[in-house]
Each structure stands twice: as C-alpha cells, then as structure tokens.
Amino acid sequence: MADLQRLAIASHQIDKQKVFLTVEQQRYLGRVLRLGVGEKFIVMDGEGKWWLAKLSLDVSGKSGLIAILEAEISIQNELPIDLILICALPKGNSFDEVVRQSTELGVTEFFPVISSRTLLKPSPQRLRRWEKIATEAAEQSERQVVPRIRDVGEYFATLALFESQNLSTNCDRYICVARNSYSLLLESLLDNRKQESIVIATGPEGGWTNEEIEAAIATGFQAVSLGKRILRAVTAPLVALSIVNSVLERRNI
Ligand code: SAM
C-alpha cells in the first residue's frame, strides 16, 4: 500500500463508486505515473478520506479514464488540531516554497497577507498555483487533508477576521517577532497544553511594524521569539511550524 501513488481529487468528482477524472488528472496518471487500466492507486478527497482505487475505462464514454473506488482506507496522519499560518508574502515566488513545506508540516489553512513592508505584488494566477502546490505536497506527504488557501488579504483586515471569528477559547494565536525579548514559541506552547487550534503569524523581509505587532496583541495574539538569530521570511514559518509539530506529535504518541 505504501508504494501506491496518490491522487487528490475534489469530492464532487465522486459518483457512487466512480471518480470522474479531469483531463489533467487522466494525463497525470497515464503519462506521468504511467499507470495502465486495471492498476491500483490511492484516491484522496482532500477532506480526510482515502480509498484504494483502480484505473478503468469509462464505458459510458463521458470521460476517457475513471477511477473505481474499491475500499475505503483508514488512515490518520494529520496533526490532532487545526494549524493556521498567516504569512506576509515574501519576495518573488518564495511563497510557493512556504506553501509546499508548510503543507508537509501539517498546516490546515493559509492566510497570505500584504503588510506595510511587503514588497511583492502577487500575480493574478497565484491562488490556482498555490492550490496546485498544496495538493501535490499533501499527496507526497501522505496527508488526508489538502490545506485551504485563502486569497491574499490585507494584514489588518485579516486580523479583524480572527477577532470576529467565533474562535474557541483554546485557539492559541502567536505572532513571531524578530529582535525582541519575548518568550520562546516552544515555551509558550508547552505552557498551554490545551490548544484546540494554533495560529502562527510571520512577517515579511522588512519585519512587522510596531503598529502591526500591537494590533495583533490587541486581537489576542501572543508575541513570541524563534531564537536569537534573524531568520529569513521564508525560513521563519518553517521553524515555527516545526516547533509546533514537535510539541503536537509528542502529544499524539
Ligand atoms: N528585518 C527584520 C528585523 O531586522 O527585525 C527581520 C524580519 S525577518 C527577515 C522576517 C520575519 O520572520 C519576521 O517578521 C518574523 O515574523 C520572523 N522572524 C525571523 N527571525 C525571527 C526570530 N528570531 N524570532 C521570531 N520571529 C522571527
């Protein structure tokens, strides 16, 4: 089973035991993975379910190749709670890597934001590209869930979302701030063992402004440090998420 290729589909593609594959998915299975009719692979709906599936020809002629779902597979590779990343967009295409690696680290939802010192003007096709990257990373890392990626938002508007959302009292919110004497993220996580969800915010190359940090604190975020070294805008989310992973995986054992 571990050797089988994985394909993420959308749940609306499923009709009873059949999965109507898109042209792109058919091409990927046939030409890239070189699977033939009758060969098995794993289908994941990105919302928590996996099935063992077989590649078949669609006799109804609606679609060329379809997947036949043979058996549901019980699997649990997700972190025990939701993990949300608010990330000020770094320069160039670097957010692509943040999406890929943060998906491997269990993020369930991304909020890319433009803050005062963000240098990037994101391209119109960004969301589709990031969703594709997240899907591939979820398949590769054997997750059941493909993270949701919100469209790019303005920083203060995104903070307001967190204020107005009916977040559980055990939703821990952290804003990572370089050059400070705040407590370490690890210590704060270990101090509070009852989290039901965790939100991490990381800034752009130029860092957060004082106003942005104060607004986050007023919204219930705790300012934290990731150590004495100054991490790049693309490194900081990965370090923060790795720390969260270490704490949550221990809890899972
Ligand atoms: N130019 C900023 C400065 O000199 O303070 C540094 C910005 S850093 C390149 C980009 C982001 O990564 C920061 O806004 C922060 O969110 C995060 N970051 C980097 N190093 C960090 C550290 N040691 N502790 C906490 N956050 C850090």
Side-chain angles (χ1 to χ4, degrees):
M1 191 81 74
D3 298 343
L4 293 179
Q5 301 287 352
R6 289 167 293 280
L7 178 76
I9 53 119
S11 49
H12 66 77
Q13 292 179 256
I14 303 176
D15 183 10
K16 300 196 179 88
Q17 294 309 104
K18 291 183 183 172
V19 182
F20 291 95
L21 302 168
T22 63
V23 174
E24 200 184 336
Q25 288 164 343
Q26 294 183 41
R27 204 175 293 136
Y28 175 68
L29 290 170
R31 299 212 189 132
V32 181
L33 301 182
R34 304 204 159 272
L35 289 187
V37 168
E39 288 196 81
K40 311 264 177 160
F41 60 104
I42 289 169
V43 163
M44 45 192 280
D45 69 356
E47 296 168 17
K49 285 192 175 160
W50 277 29
W51 294 267
L52 179 65
K54 186 171 75 180
L55 195 60
S56 283
L57 280 175
D58 180 20
V59 282
S60 76
K62 263 204 268 175
S63 169
L65 289 170
I66 57 169
I68 304 288
L69 302 181
E70 297 199 319
E72 195 170 332
I73 300 169
S74 160
I75 184 152
Q76 199 348 55
N77 290 342
E78 292 296 315
L79 291 172
I81 62 172
D82 286 343
L83 179 53
I84 297 164
L85 178 67
I86 300 176
C87 183
L89 284 171
K91 284 189 290 190
N93 284 340
S94 312
F95 192 62
D96 291 9
E97 271 318 297
V98 173
V99 169
R100 190 185 319 280
Q101 296 172 357
S102 303
T103 300
E104 291 170 37
L105 289 165
V107 164
T108 49
E109 193 164 7
F110 290 91
F111 286 81
V113 295
I114 304 274
S115 64
S116 310
R117 295 182 185 150
T118 302
L119 302 168
L120 179 82
K121 286 221 168 24
S123 79
Q125 302 79 23
R126 67 219 169 192
L127 193 57
R128 184 67 205 103
R129 189 175 74 241
W130 294 333
E131 283 170 347
K132 191 164 181 283
I133 291 171
T135 301
E136 286 168 5
E139 288 168 356
Q140 183 275 326
S141 57
E142 305 196 4
R143 290 191 56 183
Q144 290 102 274
V145 173
V146 176
R148 177 177 183 192
I149 307 185
R150 302 283 188 133
D151 204 353
V152 178
E154 194 270 328
Y155 171 76
F156 289 106
T158 303
L159 271 191
L161 266 180
F162 279 82
E163 197 168 38
S164 61
Q165 257 176 17
N166 190 14
L167 291 170
S168 77
T169 45
N170 290 330
C171 167
D172 275 12
R173 286 156 264 185
Y174 300 103
I175 181 164
C176 300
V177 182
R179 290 180 215 285
N180 67 82
S181 54
Y182 296 118
S183 61
L184 290 169
L185 172 63
L186 176 64
E187 281 169 4
S188 301
L189 288 169
L190 290 175
D191 280 350
N192 183 359
R193 290 160 191 269
K194 293 214 178 99
Q195 300 96 342
E196 285 167 7
S197 57
I198 291 179
V199 183
I200 300 282
T202 58
E205 285 79 0
W208 300 115
T209 62
N210 286 340
E211 195 194 358
E212 286 167 343
I213 297 167
E214 280 159 21
I217 293 171
T219 313
F221 281 71
Q222 187 184 333
V224 287
S225 167
L226 299 173
K228 293 207 171 108
R229 287 143 309 280
I230 307 302
L231 306 170
R232 290 171 59 223
V234 288
T235 312
L238 307 179
V239 170
L241 296 170
S242 303
I243 294 169
V244 173
N245 266 252
S246 313
V247 172
L248 294 180
E249 292 283 3
R250 267 179 82 221
R251 219 190 270 172
N252 250 354
I253 294 168

